Amino acid sequence: LAPERGAERRDTAPSGVSRFCPPRKSCHDWIGPPDKYSNLRPVHFYIPENESPLEQKLRKLRQETQEWNQQFWANQNLTFSKEKEEFIHSRLKTKGLGLRTESGGYDG
């Protein structure tokens, strides 16, 4: 949301995780923009003043699950990208080609 609507826009954290932050007076869970590495949308969970112990347990379990998913998919996507690059390089090398240069020729 735009700043005039009450949401504070913050830039990406050094780790690549969004620092999206809902307005302080919000009474709902907020879903932020997709993370750069995991492609998952972070959820900022609303904590009601009169949260019961069972509600708190559920919220904490949801937060732990979200954090695990974030880490898993960030690692999974990073590994996939790296192995994809290695595969492309190996296939080009097998064919006696290199990567294309800016002029459209091959490095090989």
Side-chain angles (χ1 to χ4, degrees):
L1 295 174
E4 59 271 7
R5 295 195 124 194
E8 298 173 21
R9 184 184 177 279
R10 296 186 181 164
D11 292 329
T12 303
S15 65
V17 177
S18 173
R19 288 187 182 184
F20 168 77
C21 186
R24 293 179 195 262
K25 294 182 181 182
S26 174
C27 296
H28 303 283
D29 291 346
W30 277 61
I31 300 173
D35 178 73
K36 180 178 179 180
Y37 300 105
S38 71
N39 295 322
L40 298 177
R41 293 179 175 270
V43 178
H44 289 268
F45 296 97
Y46 169 66
I47 304 171
E49 288 182 31
N50 58 348
E51 181 178 54
S52 72
L54 194 55
E55 288 173 321
Q56 182 182 29
K57 183 178 180 181
L58 175 61
R59 179 180 48 80
K60 287 184 177 185
L61 287 171
R62 290 175 68 203
Q63 286 173 322
E64 288 173 12
T65 302
Q66 177 186 340
E67 290 167 10
W68 186 91
N69 277 325
Q70 166 66 31
Q71 188 65 42
F72 174 83
W73 284 108
N75 289 336
Q76 191 73 15
N77 292 341
L78 180 65
T79 301
F80 175 81
S81 295
K82 181 180 175 186
E83 290 179 9
K84 179 182 170 185
E85 265 315 297
E86 291 171 1
F87 176 78
I88 291 170
H89 287 286
S90 71
R91 295 295 293 169
L92 289 173
K93 189 175 183 181
T94 301
K95 294 181 179 189
L97 303 171
L99 293 177
R100 287 185 179 246
T101 61
E102 289 182 23
S103 62
Y106 287 99
D107 258 354

